[in-house]
Amino acid sequence: MTSDYYEQLTTYLASRRWFAGKGRDFSVSHVHPLPWLSATDPRVRVEVVTVLFADGTEDGYQFPTAYLKVPDPEMVHALVGEFEHPELGHVAAYDAVYFTAASELLLDGFRTGQHGDELSFEGVDGAELPTQDVTGTVMTAEQSNTSIAYGEQAILKLFRRISDGGNPDIEIHAALTRNGGDHVAPLLGWIEGRWSNSTGETRHGHLGILQVFLPGATDGWALALSSVRNRLAEEDLHPHGADADFASEAERLGQATAEVHADLAKLFATATLGRDHQRGLSSAMGLRLDAAVAIVPELEDYDRALRGRFAELAELSSPITVQRIHGDLHLGQTLRTVDGWKIIDFEGEPAKSLAERVALDSPMRDVAGMLRSFDYAAGVTLQELGTGDHLRYRADGWSQRNRDAFLQGYTNSRKVDVVDHTVLLRAYETDKAIYEAVYEARNRPSWLAIPLQAIARLVAKE
């Protein structure tokens, strides 16, 4: 591949929501092409792009690519650039996920059971794949990955940031599907790839996951935002109506989360953290705060109080039970269906290494993530509609009621009194809010006030 293409890819990656390297100096250092999926225009294949950062670290990104001899003016939103391809001549390169032909080729890989040294499509025994007449459509609610819906039959999530080893999203969904879990979309199959990085080292990992589509499902984040808006529009300062309805949903979501945690504890290993490991957990949170302050100087105002939360964790006398967890749980990782709440995307925080994402952790990290999400829904709505005292009163009340309802549902289902884990939960929530501040500073500076206001409230609590 040419240096022109590398430069064009660097520019394109920097503009994508799913690119985790924002705010860091980087360049594309290597592109490993996997086998062609098509022999005619558009020529389609998956390419694994190695990104090199200024500090010497690197990441791998999956980039399905479509090459056209003649540029398509209707696909300018997906255009990477034009260059001289060593095999195809002058071409226009595109992000292939936006091409219907590419989505069909990917689905055909499952239908034919395509297997090769570098690219394999694996199906679950007995899985019912989408029919031949279905068309793939890219989902608009993109975050760290890209999802293609095949009608209302299946959904293919393509992992963008990839690494050597298995993706926990597939590992956990496979286990929960075999176990008959009620709170996940059943697994249909997955894609595996083998590639080399810029130094020629071989890597092998998961590229995508195919699951049953959940028709009529509503995103939990969208439901929460609608509920907050309704609350802020009410004339009565006291909660009723939409608030009470969502509080009941929040309680059911807490129950679903607890049931998933119980299944994961049964299906995977568990362990107990002693004092030394607890101090290590506290120290890691402190190191993340050190790095965050360098990126978000406003955190300096709360530095001492934040470190006090982590110090409380280090001094805990009771051991901490750890297990496999979701790792990045929030309202956007949930779907409300006619059959109840479903939890999606078990790959953990995209910015973490694979080793960190599969490590055993306390379920309280997931609980803390959901509590932060209720606060976020209120904060985002306030930013949209205004920050008057009466609106803030209503938004804070909405958040607290739903936090309490979620905790109640979780406690009742798993018979674990969250109050007994207050110090741990508080440390995890603080750690999460710091992570959010860094994320917003790098990706959505206009939202930075939301986590900063949450941090101010967290440190103000006794």
Side-chain angles (χ1 to χ4, degrees):
M1 306 301 280
T2 69
S3 59
D4 286 346
Y5 183 51
Y6 282 18
E7 292 175 3
Q8 292 164 354
L9 266 177
T10 298
T11 300
Y12 187 84
L13 292 177
S15 68
R16 299 300 95 182
R17 172 76 183 275
W18 42 260
F19 181 63
K22 293 184 182 66
R24 304 170 64 188
D25 291 333
F26 77 95
S27 61
V28 171
S29 62
H30 180 67
V31 173
H32 182 108
L34 298 186
W36 289 108
L37 296 175
S38 63
T40 58
D41 214 26
R43 297 295 301 275
V44 176
R45 69 185 179 190
V46 172
E47 297 179 348
V48 178
V49 178
T50 300
V51 170
L52 181 65
F53 295 99
D55 61 4
T57 60
E58 67 176 34
D59 276 341
Y61 281 87
Q62 175 182 192
F63 195 75
T65 312
Y67 293 104
L68 293 178
K69 286 291 187 180
V70 179
D72 185 342
E74 294 185 2
M75 299 299 291
V76 65
H77 60 285
L79 177 65
V80 177
E82 296 184 52
F83 72 104
E84 292 298 322
H85 191 282
E87 181 181 348
L88 305 177
H90 187 84
V91 293
Y94 295 85
D95 192 340
V97 299
Y98 298 100
F99 285 75
T100 300
S103 67
E104 292 174 348
L105 289 166
L106 290 167
L107 188 55
D108 282 342
F110 288 104
R111 291 195 181 110
T112 61
Q114 178 179 332
H115 284 80
D117 291 338
E118 292 191 316
L119 185 65
S120 295
F121 292 78
E122 308 288 343
V124 173
D125 289 342
E128 186 175 341
L129 297 176
T131 55
Q132 292 285 350
D133 59 347
V134 71
T135 300
T137 304
V138 175
M139 305 288 283
T140 57
E142 294 308 314
Q143 295 184 4
S144 58
N145 299 297
T146 300
S147 296
I148 301 173
Y150 294 96
E152 293 190 346
Q153 300 176 41
I155 185 166
L156 173 63
K157 181 172 69 174
L158 297 173
F159 306 125
R160 287 296 194 163
R161 183 170 179 252
I162 56 177
S163 57
D164 193 32
N167 191 295
D169 199 16
I170 294 172
E171 181 186 19
I172 289 178
H173 268 102
L176 292 176
T177 298
R178 287 193 301 268
N179 192 56
D182 293 330
H183 301 296
V184 295
L187 179 68
L188 297 175
W190 63 92
I191 308 173
E192 296 182 11
R194 187 181 301 275
W195 65 93
S196 63
N197 63 6
S198 56
T199 60
E201 297 172 296
T202 299
R203 299 284 187 261
H204 175 267
H206 290 132
L207 302 180
I209 178 173
L210 185 70
Q211 295 174 271
V212 171
F213 187 87
L214 301 172
T218 304
D219 177 75
W221 174 250
L223 282 176
L225 289 180
S226 177
S227 177
V228 182
R229 292 190 188 101
N230 288 342
R231 176 66 186 115
L232 267 57
E234 292 175 352
E235 295 183 3
D236 188 354
L237 282 177
H238 301 288
H240 64 278
D243 290 313
D245 289 340
F246 199 81
S248 64
E249 291 292 351
E251 184 173 354
R252 284 190 282 268
L253 180 55
Q255 178 182 348
T257 303
E259 291 175 3
V260 168
H261 281 161
D263 286 342
L264 293 177
K266 178 176 65 175
L267 296 168
F268 296 94
T270 61
T272 301
L273 297 186
R275 290 292 295 276
D276 288 344
H277 287 93
Q278 290 173 195
R279 292 191 182 101
L281 180 61
S282 171
S283 176
M285 291 178 175
L287 291 174
R288 283 194 287 273
L289 176 57
D290 292 340
V293 169
I295 298 168
V296 188
E298 295 92 333
L299 292 173
E300 291 182 3
D301 295 339
Y302 311 104
D303 187 87
R304 183 175 180 180
L306 294 172
R307 294 186 192 281
R309 290 297 170 88
F310 302 151
E312 292 176 355
L313 172 59
E315 296 303 316
L316 268 183
S317 58
S318 56
I320 299 173
T321 300
V322 292
Q323 62 169 83
R324 292 296 294 272
I325 63 170
H326 183 283
D328 188 29
L329 190 62
H330 52 78
L331 286 163
Q333 308 283 38
T334 67
L335 296 172
R336 185 63 170 89
T337 73
V338 293
D339 297 321
W341 284 100
K342 307 291 183 181
I343 296 176
I344 60 175
D345 296 342
F346 285 82
E347 60 183 303
E349 288 183 4
K352 289 185 175 180
S353 68
L354 177 61
E356 291 174 309
R357 288 185 279 139
V358 300
L360 304 186
D361 206 337
S362 169
M364 291 302 106
R365 183 182 290 279
D366 282 348
V367 173
M370 189 59 70
L371 297 184
R372 288 292 313 120
S373 195
F374 287 121
D375 277 353
Y376 237 77
V380 168
T381 307
L382 268 179
Q383 185 156 302
E384 175 188 339
L385 299 182
T387 56
D389 289 344
H390 67 295
L391 292 179
R392 182 167 297 280
Y393 172 83
R394 293 174 180 175
D396 289 348
W398 182 94
S399 175
Q400 191 60 54
R401 282 189 301 280
N402 287 289
R403 286 166 59 100
D404 291 345
F406 178 84
L407 292 175
Q408 187 65 47
Y410 189 93
T411 297
N412 290 345
S413 178
R414 205 169 183 200
K415 309 303 180 186
V416 174
D417 192 343
V418 177
V419 174
D420 295 339
H421 301 279
T422 298
V423 170
L424 180 60
L425 183 58
R426 195 160 50 189
Y428 277 127
E429 191 173 356
T430 301
D431 188 46
K432 180 67 172 180
I434 293 168
Y435 166 86
E436 292 165 353
V438 172
Y439 180 88
E440 300 303 1
R442 286 176 168 171
N443 294 275
R444 296 178 297 203
S446 63
W447 283 27
L448 179 58
I450 297 172
L452 289 179
Q453 289 167 358
I455 287 170
R457 292 193 299 271
L458 283 168
V459 300
K461 292 180 180 179
E462 295 297 333

